[in-house]
Structure formats: structure tokens, C-alpha cells
Amino acid sequence: MFALRYRAPLRTLVSLKRMISTLPNNEHIRVFKDQSSTSSILTYLESDPPSKRLAIGTTTELPPTPRSFTENRHFLKILDDVLREYGHLDEDVASQARALATPPNFQLSPGGGNPRRKGARSEPQGASGQGGAGGAGIGSFVHLGDRRHPPEFGRIAWPEDILGSVEVDDSGEVTGKLQPSGTYRPVTNDGILGLSPFIREKLIERLKKEEAEEKAQ
């Protein structure tokens, strides 16, 4: 006997293809064609058609570049809210905070990285070393950065890669909540939204919550 083959309707196949289309340089971001323009909509959500209000933004090229990408300011506001609520709990922040708890006869370089003995000559570090964590003690800060372009050890990320900063004490404990940097760019020449798994998960949870509220209206 001949086995019967099921052939899914073309519309279903097209819909499935659209749902699983992701960026080649970030598998967590989905790509949908914007039916009202020649651009593509980038989003963390799976709904088709996607919510433009909750989308990351749009792009005229794939993968997106700073020139082709148009950011969604509402999405960035949601990201900042998530960072304020959960950023201080991220492991990247915790590991940097622990690194500040150095022995008494050591202090961190201005970039918040390699420890040096007190009295040692400080070498210039350029723009990437400015505004860093500073030496261990009250008033020290660590930065939560995008992972798309990790800085070298002993350096801090470029402003467009810094999601926010948080204060730590001399024992390496985070003492407050993370404050968004205001300089972060979701797309640079190094990629798009290289968030840590923890922050990405919390962000998607918030987006799904807003999407459900949007559909209920």
C-alpha cells in the first residue's frame, strides 16, 4: 500500500517560515516583513503580525546596521525599566562587584580592572578607561555591558555598549539598583542587543505581559 502524504497548505507553510525567521547574528530576534513598507520588523515576540509598539525597531537591511536600523523608543523605555528592576541582580554585575573586593594592599586601576599596588605608576588608558569603576571603596561603580563586544580585561565598554551602572561597597556588595546609562545603542557595527540570558529573559517576560494587555484591549 502507498502511504498518504500530508501536504500543508501554502499559507500555513509561509506563516511557519515567517514565525521561525531569525537574525543570522542573533537567533533570539525574529524578523517579520513590514507589509506597509520595504523594511523588516525586528522583535523578541513570536506573534504574527508583530506588534510594532513592542518591536525592537525596523531595518532596511539584514543583518541590521546603524545606518539601516530605526529604533523603537517605546521598546528602549521598556528595556530601561527592566534594567532598573533587575540589572543589579545580573551575574555580570555580581562578578564585577566581587572583583572590587581586593586585598587592602591592592587597588583597582581607573578602568576597574587589573589591580596594582598602591603607589604604582598609573598608565594612561584612554577613553575606554574613563568613568570606570575606580578603586575599591564607597562610591565605586560597575557597569553592565552588552556582550556583543566585550572589553579587554581592565577596560570598560564603549558608551554605546554600556546598559547601565550600579554602585558597590568596599566588600564587593551591590548597594543599589542599576541606573540606565542613557548612551546605550541597540545596534552598533558589532551587532544587535547582546544581552545576558538573565536580562533577555526578564525583558521578554515584560514584553509578553504588555502584548497580552495590548490584545485584551
Side-chain angles (χ1 to χ4, degrees), residues 26-47:
N26 192 322
E27 63 180 9
H28 304 286
I29 298 176
R30 293 167 174 79
V31 182
F32 293 91
K33 179 63 181 175
D34 187 352
Q35 301 302 316
S36 62
S37 71
T38 58
S39 300
S40 295
I41 300 172
L42 306 179
T43 179
Y44 277 116
L45 301 175
E46 299 179 354
S47 298

PDB file of all heavy atoms in Angstrom, residues 26-47:
ATOM      1  N   ASN A  26      21.822  36.958  15.592  1.00  0.00           N
ATOM      2  CA  ASN A  26      21.169  36.922  16.900  1.00  0.00           C
ATOM      3  C   ASN A  26      19.900  36.077  16.768  1.00  0.00           C
ATOM      4  O   ASN A  26      18.847  36.574  16.377  1.00  0.00           O
ATOM      5  CB  ASN A  26      20.826  38.331  17.393  1.00  0.00           C
ATOM      6  CG  ASN A  26      20.414  38.348  18.851  1.00  0.00           C
ATOM      7  OD1 ASN A  26      19.733  37.450  19.330  1.00  0.00           O
ATOM      8  ND2 ASN A  26      20.814  39.384  19.579  1.00  0.00           N
ATOM      9  N   GLU A  27      19.996  34.817  17.128  1.00  0.00           N
ATOM     10  CA  GLU A  27      18.900  33.869  16.931  1.00  0.00           C
ATOM     11  C   GLU A  27      17.684  34.143  17.804  1.00  0.00           C
ATOM     12  O   GLU A  27      16.616  33.562  17.596  1.00  0.00           O
ATOM     13  CB  GLU A  27      19.386  32.447  17.205  1.00  0.00           C
ATOM     14  CG  GLU A  27      19.843  32.225  18.633  1.00  0.00           C
ATOM     15  CD  GLU A  27      20.332  30.812  18.894  1.00  0.00           C
ATOM     16  OE1 GLU A  27      20.466  30.053  17.933  1.00  0.00           O
ATOM     17  OE2 GLU A  27      20.592  30.481  20.067  1.00  0.00           O
ATOM     18  N   HIS A  28      17.822  35.026  18.780  1.00  0.00           N
ATOM     19  CA  HIS A  28      16.706  35.331  19.672  1.00  0.00           C
ATOM     20  C   HIS A  28      15.782  36.406  19.094  1.00  0.00           C
ATOM     21  O   HIS A  28      14.682  36.614  19.618  1.00  0.00           O
ATOM     22  CB  HIS A  28      17.226  35.790  21.039  1.00  0.00           C
ATOM     23  CG  HIS A  28      18.135  34.807  21.690  1.00  0.00           C
ATOM     24  ND1 HIS A  28      17.687  33.629  22.258  1.00  0.00           N
ATOM     25  CD2 HIS A  28      19.492  34.809  21.841  1.00  0.00           C
ATOM     26  CE1 HIS A  28      18.710  32.954  22.736  1.00  0.00           C
ATOM     27  NE2 HIS A  28      19.811  33.648  22.511  1.00  0.00           N
ATOM     28  N   ILE A  29      16.224  37.068  18.047  1.00  0.00           N
ATOM     29  CA  ILE A  29      15.442  38.157  17.457  1.00  0.00           C
ATOM     30  C   ILE A  29      14.788  37.693  16.172  1.00  0.00           C
ATOM     31  O   ILE A  29      15.459  37.200  15.260  1.00  0.00           O
ATOM     32  CB  ILE A  29      16.334  39.388  17.197  1.00  0.00           C
ATOM     33  CG1 ILE A  29      16.890  39.910  18.528  1.00  0.00           C
ATOM     34  CG2 ILE A  29      15.552  40.477  16.477  1.00  0.00           C
ATOM     35  CD1 ILE A  29      17.854  41.062  18.381  1.00  0.00           C
ATOM     36  N   ARG A  30      13.469  37.860  16.095  1.00  0.00           N
ATOM     37  CA  ARG A  30      12.702  37.409  14.947  1.00  0.00           C
ATOM     38  C   ARG A  30      12.515  38.528  13.940  1.00  0.00           C
ATOM     39  O   ARG A  30      12.473  39.703  14.308  1.00  0.00           O
ATOM     40  CB  ARG A  30      11.353  36.849  15.410  1.00  0.00           C
ATOM     41  CG  ARG A  30      11.527  35.566  16.218  1.00  0.00           C
ATOM     42  CD  ARG A  30      10.274  35.163  16.959  1.00  0.00           C
ATOM     43  NE  ARG A  30      10.454  33.859  17.599  1.00  0.00           N
ATOM     44  CZ  ARG A  30      11.102  33.654  18.732  1.00  0.00           C
ATOM     45  NH1 ARG A  30      11.642  34.682  19.361  1.00  0.00           N
ATOM     46  NH2 ARG A  30      11.240  32.449  19.237  1.00  0.00           N
ATOM     47  N   VAL A  31      12.392  38.122  12.693  1.00  0.00           N
ATOM     48  CA  VAL A  31      12.280  39.073  11.592  1.00  0.00           C
ATOM     49  C   VAL A  31      10.945  38.883  10.889  1.00  0.00           C
ATOM     50  O   VAL A  31      10.592  37.779  10.491  1.00  0.00           O
ATOM     51  CB  VAL A  31      13.423  38.887  10.571  1.00  0.00           C
ATOM     52  CG1 VAL A  31      13.309  39.918   9.452  1.00  0.00           C
ATOM     53  CG2 VAL A  31      14.783  38.979  11.261  1.00  0.00           C
ATOM     54  N   PHE A  32      10.199  39.977  10.734  1.00  0.00           N
ATOM     55  CA  PHE A  32       8.933  39.957  10.010  1.00  0.00           C
ATOM     56  C   PHE A  32       8.953  41.047   8.949  1.00  0.00           C
ATOM     57  O   PHE A  32       9.475  42.140   9.185  1.00  0.00           O
ATOM     58  CB  PHE A  32       7.752  40.202  10.952  1.00  0.00           C
ATOM     59  CG  PHE A  32       7.515  39.106  11.945  1.00  0.00           C
ATOM     60  CD1 PHE A  32       8.112  39.138  13.204  1.00  0.00           C
ATOM     61  CD2 PHE A  32       6.700  38.035  11.630  1.00  0.00           C
ATOM     62  CE1 PHE A  32       7.891  38.135  14.128  1.00  0.00           C
ATOM     63  CE2 PHE A  32       6.478  37.017  12.551  1.00  0.00           C
ATOM     64  CZ  PHE A  32       7.073  37.061  13.797  1.00  0.00           C
ATOM     65  N   LYS A  33       8.381  40.763   7.820  1.00  0.00           N
ATOM     66  CA  LYS A  33       8.274  41.755   6.773  1.00  0.00           C
ATOM     67  C   LYS A  33       7.203  42.762   7.137  1.00  0.00           C
ATOM     68  O   LYS A  33       6.089  42.392   7.508  1.00  0.00           O
ATOM     69  CB  LYS A  33       7.918  41.078   5.438  1.00  0.00           C
ATOM     70  CG  LYS A  33       7.757  42.043   4.276  1.00  0.00           C
ATOM     71  CD  LYS A  33       9.059  42.762   3.981  1.00  0.00           C
ATOM     72  CE  LYS A  33       8.891  43.748   2.825  1.00  0.00           C
ATOM     73  NZ  LYS A  33      10.124  44.543   2.609  1.00  0.00           N
ATOM     74  N   ASP A  34       7.547  44.037   7.039  1.00  0.00           N
ATOM     75  CA  ASP A  34       6.573  45.094   7.300  1.00  0.00           C
ATOM     76  C   ASP A  34       5.721  45.270   6.051  1.00  0.00           C
ATOM     77  O   ASP A  34       6.217  45.706   5.007  1.00  0.00           O
ATOM     78  CB  ASP A  34       7.298  46.397   7.654  1.00  0.00           C
ATOM     79  CG  ASP A  34       6.343  47.495   8.092  1.00  0.00           C
ATOM     80  OD1 ASP A  34       5.113  47.305   7.974  1.00  0.00           O
ATOM     81  OD2 ASP A  34       6.816  48.543   8.548  1.00  0.00           O
ATOM     82  N   GLN A  35       4.456  44.932   6.143  1.00  0.00           N
ATOM     83  CA  GLN A  35       3.572  44.968   4.986  1.00  0.00           C
ATOM     84  C   GLN A  35       3.296  46.382   4.488  1.00  0.00           C
ATOM     85  O   GLN A  35       2.831  46.562   3.357  1.00  0.00           O
ATOM     86  CB  GLN A  35       2.242  44.278   5.330  1.00  0.00           C
ATOM     87  CG  GLN A  35       2.390  42.828   5.749  1.00  0.00           C
ATOM     88  CD  GLN A  35       3.076  41.977   4.688  1.00  0.00           C
ATOM     89  OE1 GLN A  35       2.765  42.079   3.502  1.00  0.00           O
ATOM     90  NE2 GLN A  35       4.024  41.139   5.112  1.00  0.00           N
ATOM     91  N   SER A  36       3.584  47.376   5.306  1.00  0.00           N
ATOM     92  CA  SER A  36       3.296  48.760   4.912  1.00  0.00           C
ATOM     93  C   SER A  36       4.524  49.502   4.392  1.00  0.00           C
ATOM     94  O   SER A  36       4.449  50.691   4.075  1.00  0.00           O
ATOM     95  CB  SER A  36       2.711  49.525   6.100  1.00  0.00           C
ATOM     96  OG  SER A  36       3.643  49.591   7.175  1.00  0.00           O
ATOM     97  N   SER A  37       5.674  48.815   4.322  1.00  0.00           N
ATOM     98  CA  SER A  37       6.890  49.462   3.834  1.00  0.00           C
ATOM     99  C   SER A  37       7.852  48.411   3.292  1.00  0.00           C
ATOM    100  O   SER A  37       7.516  47.225   3.214  1.00  0.00           O
ATOM    101  CB  SER A  37       7.567  50.250   4.963  1.00  0.00           C
ATOM    102  OG  SER A  37       8.130  49.370   5.917  1.00  0.00           O
ATOM    103  N   THR A  38       9.032  48.844   2.927  1.00  0.00           N
ATOM    104  CA  THR A  38      10.057  47.920   2.430  1.00  0.00           C
ATOM    105  C   THR A  38      10.986  47.459   3.540  1.00  0.00           C
ATOM    106  O   THR A  38      11.974  46.779   3.283  1.00  0.00           O
ATOM    107  CB  THR A  38      10.890  48.602   1.331  1.00  0.00           C
ATOM    108  OG1 THR A  38      11.495  49.794   1.868  1.00  0.00           O
ATOM    109  CG2 THR A  38      10.021  48.985   0.136  1.00  0.00           C
ATOM    110  N   SER A  39      10.668  47.817   4.769  1.00  0.00           N
ATOM    111  CA  SER A  39      11.513  47.472   5.912  1.00  0.00           C
ATOM    112  C   SER A  39      11.108  46.139   6.531  1.00  0.00           C
ATOM    113  O   SER A  39      10.057  45.578   6.218  1.00  0.00           O
ATOM    114  CB  SER A  39      11.422  48.570   6.981  1.00  0.00           C
ATOM    115  OG  SER A  39      11.857  49.817   6.486  1.00  0.00           O
ATOM    116  N   SER A  40      11.957  45.655   7.423  1.00  0.00           N
ATOM    117  CA  SER A  40      11.667  44.459   8.209  1.00  0.00           C
ATOM    118  C   SER A  40      11.511  44.861   9.666  1.00  0.00           C
ATOM    119  O   SER A  40      12.211  45.753  10.153  1.00  0.00           O
ATOM    120  CB  SER A  40      12.798  43.435   8.081  1.00  0.00           C
ATOM    121  OG  SER A  40      12.899  42.954   6.756  1.00  0.00           O
ATOM    122  N   ILE A  41      10.585  44.205  10.357  1.00  0.00           N
ATOM    123  CA  ILE A  41      10.352  44.469  11.768  1.00  0.00           C
ATOM    124  C   ILE A  41      11.146  43.469  12.603  1.00  0.00           C
ATOM    125  O   ILE A  41      11.091  42.265  12.350  1.00  0.00           O
ATOM    126  CB  ILE A  41       8.851  44.347  12.109  1.00  0.00           C
ATOM    127  CG1 ILE A  41       8.038  45.354  11.291  1.00  0.00           C
ATOM    128  CG2 ILE A  41       8.610  44.555  13.599  1.00  0.00           C
ATOM    129  CD1 ILE A  41       6.537  45.168  11.421  1.00  0.00           C
ATOM    130  N   LEU A  42      11.885  43.953  13.582  1.00  0.00           N
ATOM    131  CA  LEU A  42      12.681  43.111  14.469  1.00  0.00           C
ATOM    132  C   LEU A  42      12.019  43.062  15.835  1.00  0.00           C
ATOM    133  O   LEU A  42      11.671  44.099  16.404  1.00  0.00           O
ATOM    134  CB  LEU A  42      14.101  43.665  14.599  1.00  0.00           C
ATOM    135  CG  LEU A  42      14.853  43.912  13.283  1.00  0.00           C
ATOM    136  CD1 LEU A  42      16.233  44.494  13.564  1.00  0.00           C
ATOM    137  CD2 LEU A  42      14.963  42.636  12.472  1.00  0.00           C
ATOM    138  N   THR A  43      11.836  41.857  16.367  1.00  0.00           N
ATOM    139  CA  THR A  43      11.132  41.710  17.629  1.00  0.00           C
ATOM    140  C   THR A  43      11.572  40.461  18.375  1.00  0.00           C
ATOM    141  O   THR A  43      12.079  39.512  17.772  1.00  0.00           O
ATOM    142  CB  THR A  43       9.605  41.647  17.383  1.00  0.00           C
ATOM    143  OG1 THR A  43       8.924  41.470  18.630  1.00  0.00           O
ATOM    144  CG2 THR A  43       9.251  40.498  16.459  1.00  0.00           C
ATOM    145  N   TYR A  44      11.369  40.470  19.700  1.00  0.00           N
ATOM    146  CA  TYR A  44      11.619  39.278  20.518  1.00  0.00           C
ATOM    147  C   TYR A  44      10.384  38.380  20.574  1.00  0.00           C
ATOM    148  O   TYR A  44      10.471  37.247  21.036  1.00  0.00           O
ATOM    149  CB  TYR A  44      11.986  39.688  21.947  1.00  0.00           C
ATOM    150  CG  TYR A  44      13.442  40.047  22.148  1.00  0.00           C
ATOM    151  CD1 TYR A  44      13.817  41.326  22.508  1.00  0.00           C
ATOM    152  CD2 TYR A  44      14.439  39.079  22.009  1.00  0.00           C
ATOM    153  CE1 TYR A  44      15.148  41.651  22.719  1.00  0.00           C
ATOM    154  CE2 TYR A  44      15.768  39.397  22.211  1.00  0.00           C
ATOM    155  CZ  TYR A  44      16.124  40.686  22.573  1.00  0.00           C
ATOM    156  OH  TYR A  44      17.442  40.996  22.769  1.00  0.00           O
ATOM    157  N   LEU A  45       9.245  38.889  20.126  1.00  0.00           N
ATOM    158  CA  LEU A  45       7.986  38.165  20.243  1.00  0.00           C
ATOM    159  C   LEU A  45       7.688  37.340  18.994  1.00  0.00           C
ATOM    160  O   LEU A  45       8.192  37.639  17.909  1.00  0.00           O
ATOM    161  CB  LEU A  45       6.845  39.155  20.510  1.00  0.00           C
ATOM    162  CG  LEU A  45       7.020  39.992  21.786  1.00  0.00           C
ATOM    163  CD1 LEU A  45       5.913  41.029  21.901  1.00  0.00           C
ATOM    164  CD2 LEU A  45       7.044  39.093  23.017  1.00  0.00           C
ATOM    165  N   GLU A  46       6.823  36.320  19.144  1.00  0.00           N
ATOM    166  CA  GLU A  46       6.536  35.388  18.057  1.00  0.00           C
ATOM    167  C   GLU A  46       5.253  35.699  17.305  1.00  0.00           C
ATOM    168  O   GLU A  46       5.012  35.128  16.238  1.00  0.00           O
ATOM    169  CB  GLU A  46       6.450  33.958  18.610  1.00  0.00           C
ATOM    170  CG  GLU A  46       7.740  33.471  19.256  1.00  0.00           C
ATOM    171  CD  GLU A  46       7.612  32.060  19.805  1.00  0.00           C
ATOM    172  OE1 GLU A  46       6.476  31.520  19.773  1.00  0.00           O
ATOM    173  OE2 GLU A  46       8.624  31.500  20.254  1.00  0.00           O
ATOM    174  N   SER A  47       4.426  36.567  17.832  1.00  0.00           N
ATOM    175  CA  SER A  47       3.120  36.827  17.232  1.00  0.00           C
ATOM    176  C   SER A  47       3.252  37.361  15.807  1.00  0.00           C
ATOM    177  O   SER A  47       4.118  38.188  15.515  1.00  0.00           O
ATOM    178  CB  SER A  47       2.334  37.833  18.082  1.00  0.00           C
ATOM    179  OG  SER A  47       2.097  37.319  19.365  1.00  0.00           O
TER     180      SER A  47
END
